[in-house]
Amino acid sequence: MKTTKETILKESFKLFLAKGYDGTSVPDIERAAKITRGAIFHHFANKEDIFKQSADYFVLSFLEEVNYGEEYLNSATPLKAFMGKSLKIIEARMEKFLQKTTEKITPASFMSFTLYLKDHYEGWQEKAIEYEKLKIENWERAINLAKEKNEIRPDTNTTLLASTFHNLYMGLSYGGALVDKLSIPELQRLWDYVYQQQTIK
């Protein structure tokens, strides 16, 4: 059961995605959440506070660090296993996003919202950089293990390969949002191609 604060955050987030920050008013939030203004300001200082907390609640939770499990650590092909697990996590994350919003909200709206945060949420850039760092580190861990187990060439540049996998995902996410949404099969196809270039023949 949602709390009043969660209801306000969810409805506000949907409005910010659909109409932008400037296009969303407090009366809009009142109507969407079916909550009085007094109840809104009981939980939040102002519209900016709602905006920042909705970003923390939805965007950061969408990007938050996840548990990749230990299966890939024990696999004879840890990088291949890590790729498969990552694809499942991305797909589940996309489904969760659609469930939390509505069919009217598109991935493009989400991308636009995250870009807006860069210039309108102090400290957001640092959070984004930390997210990127953690993702690259996870890839590097899997790649180094793959080198140890002779899954891929020992002379593979770990950092470069990790960045390639991650940047392919980010690029397809933004590119896919322009048309519809990220294509999991296309991401898998590109990851598999990069992977095949590094395996020991």
Side-chain angles (χ1 to χ4, degrees):
M1 182 177 176
K2 292 189 187 71
T3 65
T4 299
K5 184 173 183 177
E6 287 173 329
T7 299
I8 297 168
L9 286 173
K10 179 177 181 179
E11 296 306 323
S12 299
F13 181 62
K14 289 194 288 186
L15 286 169
F16 291 139
L17 286 176
K19 302 171 67 174
Y21 178 81
D22 293 330
T24 300
S25 66
V26 173
D28 289 336
I29 296 171
E30 285 180 69
R31 286 189 292 273
K34 297 180 175 60
I35 290 171
T36 65
R37 187 169 302 197
I40 291 173
F41 290 126
H42 172 72
H43 294 282
F44 304 94
N46 48 41
K47 187 177 83 167
E48 183 181 3
D49 187 31
I50 300 172
F51 172 74
K52 289 182 176 180
Q53 288 199 45
S54 66
D56 288 340
Y57 189 76
F58 288 100
V59 181
L60 284 182
S61 66
F62 185 79
L63 299 177
E64 70 187 354
E65 184 56 14
V66 295
N67 182 2
Y68 290 93
E70 296 186 357
E71 294 88 350
Y72 84 95
L73 297 174
N74 301 317
S75 172
T77 54
L79 182 54
K80 186 73 173 175
F82 184 81
M83 288 163 53
K85 180 69 173 180
S86 296
L87 287 168
K88 288 180 182 178
I89 289 171
I90 292 168
E91 189 168 24
R93 185 178 278 162
M94 288 169 61
E95 289 175 5
K96 183 179 178 183
F97 168 73
L98 292 174
Q99 289 170 0
K100 280 190 173 183
T101 55
T102 68
E103 68 280 356
K104 296 178 183 178
I105 304 301
T106 66
S109 304
F110 182 79
M111 294 299 179
S112 177
F113 184 81
T114 57
L115 289 173
Y116 185 87
L117 288 170
K118 177 179 173 290
D119 296 321
H120 298 86
Y121 185 157
E122 186 178 351
W124 183 261
Q125 197 163 358
E126 289 76 9
K127 293 181 180 183
I129 290 170
E130 183 61 23
Y131 162 76
E132 295 284 314
K133 179 184 173 187
L134 287 172
K135 292 302 172 188
I136 295 296
E137 286 175 353
N138 283 322
W139 278 107
E140 288 178 340
R141 192 174 300 114
I143 291 165
N144 283 330
L145 188 57
K147 288 162 76 171
E148 289 174 19
K149 295 192 175 185
N150 295 316
E151 178 186 7
I152 61 174
R153 300 198 316 264
D155 62 344
T156 296
N157 185 316
T158 298
T159 302
L160 183 58
L161 184 57
S163 296
T164 300
F165 279 120
H166 179 65
N167 290 334
L168 279 172
Y169 163 57
M170 295 300 288
L172 275 184
S173 295
Y174 278 89
L178 296 175
V179 198
D180 180 24
K181 60 184 179 182
L182 168 67
S183 168
I184 297 294
E186 178 65 5
L187 179 59
Q188 181 173 11
R189 187 180 72 84
L190 293 176
W191 277 3
D192 282 344
Y193 177 78
V194 173
Y195 172 78
Q196 290 301 328
Q197 307 310 304
Q198 306 301 323
T199 55
I200 296 175
K201 304 296 190 283

